[in-house]
């Protein structure tokens, strides 16, 4: 997500080098491939059950990582509810909607829609008194036109699988955008603590909901689905969180924000090469319009 780089952050962030670009590439691969693995897993596992398993395993992995680093948690009653909000808005709700979206449309289409998150975040800043610039407004218009081209007229009429996939993807982008404001409530904690505890809270929601909606999950899963769930949890969620924090601390948010452009590209390549998703002219035009909207809004948005 795009961020405002403060003087303090500029003074501590290092000039990008081979390590920083390697971290950026690893993060783009971690987030970009998650849509492909979600598409594979959701073919056999219902979306809510899939995310419950993914988040629970990721929370366990991050808890072990935090304990290995000797991090001790001191959480107040206020922090309790703040972490619950962060877990819901940054992980549980968006991931369930993403899984539902890729169950109905191509994984690359969902990934491209999520690229609008930084633009939506900028517009939501108006509720905090940050007036969007004309570039911000133009960016969201261009991006939404790209979404319309990407999904096609049937989805815009909210008909069929395309309509449901589009609504779920846009809902995920909107909810994820609000998570950055929720994270301000826990910014006095270190990044690993925020990631780990929010994942723990995120796992509390989908698990009982999955049992209520989907029932007891099947135990006879094919190896490919099991492998996809493990990759989603350990690589796409837990390890990618560590990569993101390492990249931000070493290079600052400016370099990290380039991820907004790399993730959709990785998702499109994976969907085309490994899942056989068609790369049509309509899809290419939609991708270019969405990324153009993000560029106009974030690069031409003045102080943002």
């Amino acid at each position: 997500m795009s961020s405002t780089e403060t003087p303090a952050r500029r003074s501590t962030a290092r000039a990008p080098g081979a390590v920083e670009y390697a971290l950026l590439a690893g993060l783009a691969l971690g987030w970009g491939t998650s849509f492909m693995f979600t598409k594979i897993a959701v073919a056999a596992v219902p979306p809510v059950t899939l995310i419950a398993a993914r988040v629970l395993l990721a929370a366990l992995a991050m808890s072990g990582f935090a304990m290995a680093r000797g991090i001790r948690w001191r959480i107040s009653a206020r922090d309790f509810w703040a972490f619950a909000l962060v877990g819901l808005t940054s992980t549980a709700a968006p991931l369930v909607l993403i899984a539902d979206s890729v169950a109905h449309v191509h994984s690359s289409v969902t990934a491209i829609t999520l690229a609008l998150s930084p633009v939506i975040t900028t517009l939501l800043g108006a509720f905090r008194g940050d007036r969007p610039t004309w570039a911000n407004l133009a960016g969201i218009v261009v991006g939404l036109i790209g979404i319309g081209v990407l999904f096609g007229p049937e989805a815009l009429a909210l008909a069929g699988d395309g309509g449901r996939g589009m609504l779920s993807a846009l809902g995920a982008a909107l909810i994820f955008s609000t998570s950055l404001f929720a994270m301000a409530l826990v910014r006095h904690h270190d990044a690993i603590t925020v990631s780990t505890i929010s994942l723990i809270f995120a796992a509390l929601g989908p698990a009982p909901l999955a049992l209520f909606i989907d029932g007891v999950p099947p135990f006879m899963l094919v190896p490919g689905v099991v492998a996809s769930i493990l990759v989603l949890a350990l690589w796409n969620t837990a390890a990618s969180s560590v990569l993101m924090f390492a990249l931000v601390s070493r290079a600052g948010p400016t370099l990290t924000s380039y991820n907004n452009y790399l993730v959709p590209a990785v998702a499109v390549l994976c969907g085309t090469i490994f899942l056989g998703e068609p790369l049509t002219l309509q899809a290419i035009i939609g991708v270019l319009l969405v990324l153009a909207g993000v560029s106009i809004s974030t690069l031409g948005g003045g102080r943002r």
Side-chain angles (χ1 to χ4, degrees):
M1 307 300 292
S2 56
S3 305
T4 301
E5 190 171 2
T6 63
R9 171 60 70 185
R10 284 195 298 266
S11 65
T12 58
R14 307 176 186 181
V19 174
E20 286 70 33
Y21 284 113
L23 289 171
L24 178 63
L27 183 59
L29 285 173
W31 284 357
T33 57
S34 66
F35 298 91
M36 175 184 68
F37 289 115
T38 300
K39 184 72 172 181
I40 295 172
V42 82
V45 182
V48 181
T49 298
L50 170 62
I51 300 309
R54 171 182 178 177
V55 176
L56 179 59
L57 291 172
L60 292 173
M62 285 299 296
S63 297
F65 179 76
M67 287 189 290
R69 296 194 54 171
I71 298 176
R72 297 185 177 182
W73 301 327
R74 295 179 177 84
I75 305 174
S76 65
R78 175 183 176 276
D79 290 338
F80 181 91
W81 295 108
F83 276 117
L85 180 62
V86 172
L88 173 67
T89 58
S90 69
T91 305
L95 289 185
V96 169
L97 288 171
I98 288 172
D100 183 72
S101 178
V102 301
H104 295 87
V105 297
H106 295 314
S107 61
S108 55
V109 172
T110 302
I112 295 162
T113 305
L114 267 292
L116 284 178
S117 294
V119 182
I120 298 173
T121 301
T122 300
L123 293 181
L124 292 177
F127 293 99
R128 298 193 310 173
D130 298 331
R131 281 180 65 185
T133 65
W134 285 109
N136 299 145
L137 297 176
I140 190 65
V141 170
V142 173
L144 289 176
I145 291 174
I147 295 300
V149 172
L150 195 64
F151 281 93
E154 183 184 35
L156 293 178
L158 303 182
D161 287 346
R164 178 165 175 175
M166 181 183 70
L167 288 178
S168 293
L170 288 175
L174 178 61
I175 295 174
F176 184 76
S177 299
T178 65
S179 69
L180 296 186
F181 302 103
M183 286 179 186
L185 301 174
V186 294
R187 61 186 175 189
H188 53 288
H189 291 280
D190 66 275
I192 298 299
T193 297
V194 172
S195 177
T196 304
I197 300 180
S198 63
L199 274 174
I200 292 173
F201 276 100
L204 297 177
L209 186 62
L211 289 175
F212 177 76
I213 295 177
D214 303 327
V216 178
F219 292 98
M220 297 298 293
L221 295 175
V222 296
V225 174
V226 174
S228 295
I229 295 174
L230 290 175
V231 171
L232 282 168
L234 303 180
W235 167 244
N236 299 131
T237 307
S240 294
S241 295
V242 177
L243 288 175
M244 181 184 68
F245 297 138
L247 180 60
V248 171
S249 65
R250 291 179 67 95
T254 300
L255 183 66
T256 307
S257 69
Y258 295 160
N259 209 43
N260 296 327
Y261 306 96
L262 296 176
V263 168
V266 171
V268 170
L269 286 175
C270 289
T272 303
I273 297 173
F274 299 108
L275 299 180
E277 296 177 351
L279 186 61
T280 62
L281 178 61
Q282 176 181 339
I284 294 174
I285 294 174
V287 171
L288 293 177
L289 285 172
V290 170
L291 295 184
V294 175
S295 300
I296 293 170
S297 182
T298 58
L299 301 182
R303 65 182 182 277
R304 290 182 176 79

